[in-house]
Amino acid sequence: MHKRMLYGLITAILCCTLTVQAGSINSDVGTTAFPFLKIGVGARAVSMGGAFTGLADDASAIYYNPSGLAAFEHPQYIAGYHNYFMDIQSGFAGYVFKLGEEQSLAASINYLNYGDFIETDTSGTETGNTFGGGDMMLAVSYARKFGYYYRAGATAKVIYEKIDDYSASGLALDLGVSYVTERKRFGAGIAIQNLGTQLSSLGEEKYDLPLTLRGGVFIKPRGLPLTLTSDIILPNDNDLIFAVGAEYYELDPFFVRIGWNSFGSNYRTADSDDSWAGAAIGFGVNYRQLHIAYAFTPGAELGDNHRITITGGIL
């Protein structure tokens, strides 16, 4: 029972149930399975506030909008590490294959490790044992171009979760479409994430997956070495989320990125004065055939987040 209570606490943290005012908590928060599926991947995208649905022009498109994979001219890989709250750690890795000029195929893995915990009995006395837990997702993506301007893609996921002797599994599907102008100065995309079901649960009751609808645009203003992005994100277990981001590339091969995501307000407690929660900042550098990116996102009382991502190929 105590192990299940601890799992519930971890889930609550991942769902970000801490808010500015207790009365503002959405009644659906914490009601979906596999909350790690909502954690954004890729330091570049995260440092732009997670506003990446319309742009989706690197391998992290596997997560944000799989249709973006169709535009790749060469194979590309991605590997990232995320130092999350409370010493929780996660990672993401993927590889994008080209199937001719108009099609792409990708494989990816996403994991979250909760670390080790000290086991206690019902009175709170330590038993001398420890236990751990984590989540893992294996996925395959396919994307195709339709003419020059339009793309569509899908990602099929197998999900597994375990804490001590309890485990859960599920299946999910992401779908995405996008449009990009001829000179790639404007684009838009729509994606729906985590269409699927929980096959087995940690307890007796099964829950819905964190279904999320995303819509986004990007623009590269004429005469400015800048990419601006914006997303609207609608999850089935929380309020509407707004995200904006910017990437400055005048210093190429060095890039500077900033962003903001309204979901960050969930990290603040009622008496918090941390106004930076929801902000993001990062940078990247091209080195030979690699792009190395870093993102920093403050999380108020929960702690700060650091991400490092390496992508194969010049962006």
Side-chain angles (χ1 to χ4, degrees), residues 157-283:
K157 308 173 181 178
V158 177
I159 310 158
Y160 180 74
E161 185 172 63
K162 182 176 175 63
I163 182 165
D164 194 39
D165 296 327
Y166 304 95
S167 63
S169 61
L171 296 175
L173 181 69
D174 294 354
L175 301 173
V177 295
S178 56
Y179 165 85
V180 179
T181 60
E182 184 174 355
R183 296 187 179 182
K184 299 182 179 180
R185 289 201 168 273
F186 173 82
I190 298 175
I192 185 167
Q193 299 172 308
N194 305 317
L195 284 163
T197 185
Q198 187 176 26
L199 301 177
S200 61
S201 64
L202 296 171
E204 297 180 357
E205 187 175 357
K206 295 180 182 179
Y207 298 91
D208 294 333
L209 269 58
L211 185 68
T212 303
L213 179 64
R214 309 176 63 101
V217 298
F218 81 87
I219 185 171
K220 297 182 179 181
R222 292 183 180 276
L224 294 177
L226 195 66
T227 300
L228 302 175
T229 62
S230 179
D231 270 20
I232 297 177
I233 305 165
L234 180 61
N236 66 342
D237 60 352
N238 214 318
D239 299 327
L240 189 68
I241 299 168
F242 299 94
V244 292
E247 180 179 57
Y248 181 73
Y249 51 86
E250 174 70 15
L251 305 176
D252 187 0
F254 188 80
F255 300 78
V256 179
R257 300 164 184 134
I258 58 172
W260 176 81
N261 190 304
S262 66
F263 189 71
S265 64
N266 292 301
Y267 300 142
R268 298 196 295 266
T269 56
D271 58 352
S272 172
D273 59 358
D274 189 341
S275 60
W276 290 103
I281 188 170
F283 62 85

Side-chain angles (χ1 to χ4, degrees), residues 72-83:
F72 291 6
E73 297 180 357
H74 305 286
Q76 189 175 121
Y77 67 85
I78 183 172
Y81 171 77
H82 177 193
N83 186 7

Side-chain angles (χ1 to χ4, degrees), residues 273-294:
D273 59 358
D274 189 341
S275 60
W276 290 103
I281 188 170
F283 62 85
V285 60
N286 287 335
Y287 177 72
R288 296 184 179 179
Q289 295 301 311
L290 300 177
H291 182 80
I292 304 169
Y294 167 79

Side-chain angles (χ1 to χ4, degrees), residues 11 15 28-35 38 207-211 236-237:
T11 300
C15 291
D28 292 324
V29 167
T31 61
T32 57
F34 311 123
K38 299 183 290 183
Y207 298 91
D208 294 333
L209 269 58
L211 185 68
N236 66 342
D237 60 352

